[in-house]
């Protein structure tokens, strides 16, 4: 990749998200140095976009950079993630309350349709997993991918409908920093009852929004996000540590 590719915002965002994902899943372990030349070779890019990606990751608190020492991984703690979900719950609750006032009938119908697609995806996901004896399987990959996309769309529709661009931007940044990568990692770890609870939460949000009840909508969204955060923290604390290679680095 040439340096001018730094202007490709999608490419840079993908680089940031990919490095962040490896920090969250333990591939890049806490305290590990991230060398620009190594990352450039790994991702087949020049050092310029890598340098910018590391700068953005430092702003997000995932790496720290020191002169002559380069970038070092600073993995978020359970406390960090819990605080992030708490804040996101408060902000998305506020956005949902505002959205009740401003969302159009057409967007409300779209929200209901996306919720229905989420429900269908969860059903297909667990049909596949249960058929495989409760284990991850190839057949689960597509409904899992579809659920992640539709879940993101569900939330995006709501905070976009809030009519508050600043609030929407802050929520998107919080979601990018932590929850998107963690969400992708935990989908198959969400046992059947947890996924049903997720759908129940969405149903309560939709019901409150259709009734144009801003207080109930805010409460339903806040409960949804904060309970999701509790699950994620519990999952992260219980997951086994990634295996180490002979060099001592996590694989």
């Amino acid at each position: 990749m040439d340096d001018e590719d730094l202007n490709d915002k999608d490419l840079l965002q993908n680089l940031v998200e990919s490095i962040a994902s490896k920090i969250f899943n333990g591939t890049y372990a806490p305290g590990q140095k991230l060398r620009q030349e190594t990352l450039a070779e790994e991702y087949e890019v020049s050092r310029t976009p890598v340098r910018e990606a590391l700068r953005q990751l430092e702003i997000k608190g995932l790496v720290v950079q020191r002169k002559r020492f380069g970038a070092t991984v600073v993995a978020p703690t359970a406390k960090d993630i819990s605080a992030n979900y708490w804040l996101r719950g408060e902000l998305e609750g506020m956005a949902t309350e505002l959205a009740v006032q401003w969302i159009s009938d057409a967007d409300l119908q779209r929200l209901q349709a996306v919720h229905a697609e989420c429900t269908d995806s969860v059903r297909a996901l667990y049909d596949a997993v249960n058929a495989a004896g409760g284990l991850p399987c190839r057949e689960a990959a597509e409904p899992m991918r579809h659920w992640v996309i539709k879940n993101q769309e569900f939330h995006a529709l709501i905070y976009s409908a809030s009519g508050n661009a600043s609030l929407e931007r802050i929520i998107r940044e919080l979601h990018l920093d932590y929850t998107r990568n963690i969400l992708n990692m935990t989908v198959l770890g969400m046992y059947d009852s947890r996924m049903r609870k997720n759908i129940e939460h969405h149903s309560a949000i939709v019901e409150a929004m259709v009734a144009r009840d801003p207080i109930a909508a805010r409460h339903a969204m806040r409960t949804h996000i904060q309970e999701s955060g509790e699950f994620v923290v519990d999952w992260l604390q219980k997951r086994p540590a990634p295996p180490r290679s002979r060099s001592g680095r996590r694989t």
Side-chain angles (χ1 to χ4, degrees):
M1 180 196 304
D2 297 325
D3 289 352
E4 56 264 24
D5 285 328
L6 182 58
N7 295 322
D8 186 334
K9 293 182 179 180
D10 289 339
L11 188 149
L12 180 59
Q13 180 172 314
N14 288 337
L15 183 60
V16 170
E17 290 185 15
S18 180
I19 296 173
S21 179
K22 290 188 177 183
I23 291 173
F24 281 114
N25 68 26
T27 301
Y28 299 148
Q32 180 177 331
K33 289 185 177 180
L34 298 179
R35 303 184 184 280
Q36 291 182 18
E37 58 272 23
T38 303
L39 291 173
E41 182 178 350
E42 178 179 349
Y43 289 99
E44 299 181 343
V45 299
S46 72
R47 291 176 62 176
T48 300
V50 169
R51 185 160 49 247
E52 174 60 20
L54 291 174
R55 187 190 70 79
Q56 292 190 22
L57 290 166
E58 183 174 31
I59 292 173
K60 298 176 187 302
L62 297 182
V63 304
V64 60
Q65 298 193 85
R66 294 187 177 90
K67 193 173 182 180
R68 295 193 299 275
F69 288 95
T72 303
V73 173
V74 180
T77 64
K79 183 178 180 181
D80 294 331
I81 294 169
S82 180
N84 177 277
Y85 269 92
W86 179 89
L87 180 57
R88 186 181 154 206
E90 293 297 323
L91 294 176
E92 284 210 44
M94 185 188 305
T96 307
E97 181 177 355
L98 291 171
V100 169
Q101 303 173 49
W102 298 109
I103 192 167
S104 67
D105 290 342
D107 281 344
L108 197 52
Q109 289 177 355
R110 177 58 187 158
L111 185 69
Q112 291 174 289
V114 171
H115 172 52
E117 291 184 78
C118 280
T119 303
D120 290 343
S121 294
V122 168
R123 186 178 297 112
L125 169 63
Y126 279 95
D127 282 348
V129 171
N130 291 335
L135 299 174
C137 58
R138 182 179 301 176
E139 290 75 15
E142 180 56 27
M144 178 178 69
R145 184 191 68 82
H146 192 255
W147 179 82
V148 169
I149 291 171
K150 291 302 172 180
N151 182 68
Q152 291 172 355
E153 185 178 351
F154 180 88
H155 288 274
L157 274 168
I158 292 173
Y159 51 72
S160 177
S162 72
N164 189 314
S166 296
L167 180 59
E168 181 181 358
R169 185 183 69 253
I170 293 169
I171 292 171
R172 288 184 183 277
E173 289 174 353
L174 283 171
H175 187 54
L176 175 61
D177 284 355
Y178 289 102
T179 58
R180 181 180 302 167
N181 290 307
I182 292 175
L183 180 64
N184 290 338
M185 291 159 53
T186 59
V187 169
L188 283 179
M190 291 183 181
Y191 40 83
D192 194 20
S193 61
R194 174 60 212 166
M195 292 298 280
R196 285 201 302 270
K197 180 64 70 174
N198 181 279
I199 295 301
E200 288 173 10
H201 285 170
H202 280 200
S203 295
I205 293 165
V206 171
E207 182 178 344
M209 294 188 70
V210 169
R212 300 287 181 174
D213 186 336
I215 303 304
R218 179 172 186 159
H219 175 74
M221 178 61 81
R222 185 172 56 213
T223 298
H224 170 52
I225 298 297
Q226 293 178 357
E227 285 193 13
S228 296
E230 291 170 4
F231 166 78
V232 168
V233 168
D234 182 66
W235 183 88
L236 288 171
Q237 290 175 332
K238 291 179 178 178
R239 68 173 178 156
R244 291 184 179 272
S245 65
R246 292 182 181 178
S247 66
R249 293 178 59 182
R250 295 191 189 278
T251 57

